[in-house]
């Protein structure tokens, strides 16, 4: 588990690359988000002014691929 947290911190970059496993877990893995479901889709609503949002977005894009383009 610790190695996965370190890998996540390395991908996310920023100040987390040198942070301890506990800090990475507390700030990046335990995401302060709200989830919503609608027609078999899960949407994650991240806080608007969350300081680590860009780091989390970078990690998510690397692990899961870029988000799908919005359809109109």
């Amino acid at each position: 588990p610790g190695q996965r947290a370190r890998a996540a911190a390395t991908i996310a970059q920023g100040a987390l690359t040198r942070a301890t496993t506990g800090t990475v877990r507390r700030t990046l893995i335990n995401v302060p988000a709200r989830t919503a479901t609608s027609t078999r889709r899960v949407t994650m609503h991240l806080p608007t002014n969350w300081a680590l949002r860009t780091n989390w977005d970078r990690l998510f894009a690397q692990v899961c691929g870029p988000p799908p383009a919005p359809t109109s």
Side-chain angles (χ1 to χ4, degrees):
Q3 294 170 343
R4 292 181 191 142
R6 299 293 326 133
T10 302
I11 292 169
Q13 299 176 349
L16 294 174
T17 56
R18 306 192 116 239
T20 64
T21 303
T23 301
V24 172
R25 189 178 301 122
R26 187 173 51 255
T27 60
L28 190 64
I29 296 172
N30 295 335
V31 178
R34 180 178 60 84
T35 57
T37 58
S38 174
T39 62
R40 297 186 218 166
R41 295 187 94 166
V42 177
T43 304
M44 237 173 128
H45 298 280
L46 296 171
T48 307
N49 297 323
W50 186 35
L52 297 173
R53 181 167 183 138
T54 56
N55 299 77
W56 195 89
D57 287 339
R58 186 179 299 118
L59 173 63
F60 186 82
Q62 182 72 29
V63 174
C64 300
T71 58
S72 52

